[in-house]
Structures are given as structure tokens and as C-alpha cells.
Amino acid sequence: MTDELAGRTIGERIQIIRERRGKSRPVVAGLVGRSAEWLKAVEKGGLHPPRWEKLVQLADALGVQDLSELTGEKPSTTMVGRGSQRWFRP
């Protein structure tokens, strides 16, 4: 985790990582089956953080290998994911 992400909310982390990857809101939102307005509300704290399944989809869309990069939490011992992507489930 980078210092830039320390102390940030999940929504802020999603936005920072999305912008770093050069992906637009409509593109990322479309990849997870939601609207750009939904993603903006998540990023800005207007909605509760997404549920686990949607976080996994967002991580996949953003190319995040370690889900704790989005959550800010230390990984547990349980790993989930699909294909070559694996994430720790809190």
C-alpha cells in the first residue's frame, strides 16, 4: 500500500487507483455492471462501500492484485477469486 492511500476511505482508494490506471468512471462502472453515477457516489462517500462481491469486481476492473489495496485492511487467511486473480476475504 502506498502512503497516498493510507488513511483513505474505500471510495477514495477506488478513485485514486482508477485515476492512476487512466480509466474513466463510465468504463470502470460498466465493467462491474453499474452506472458512472453509482461509481461517483461510491468514490465521493455518498453511498456505503460496495459489498464484497462488487469490491472483487472493482479490483478486477482496476487490475488490483491485492484487495486490501482497496479496503485498507490487512488480509485474512482466506483467499477467494477467479482465474489467476486471488484476494483475501476479510
Side-chain angles (χ1 to χ4, degrees), residues 5-24:
L5 297 177
R8 303 285 187 152
T9 66
I10 290 174
E12 290 169 332
R13 289 166 178 271
I14 291 168
Q15 181 176 0
I16 291 166
I17 293 167
R18 178 182 59 74
E19 290 173 349
R20 273 190 202 154
R21 300 294 200 299
K23 295 187 176 186
S24 69

Side-chain angles (χ1 to χ4, degrees), residues 21-56:
R21 300 294 200 299
K23 295 187 176 186
S24 69
R25 261 190 205 118
V27 167
V28 173
L31 289 170
V32 300
R34 301 303 297 244
S35 69
E37 291 78 19
W38 173 85
L39 183 55
K40 181 178 181 178
V42 168
E43 290 177 350
K44 301 300 180 187
L47 293 175
H48 290 290
R51 291 180 179 214
W52 174 256
E53 294 78 13
K54 197 58 71 178
L55 280 176
V56 170

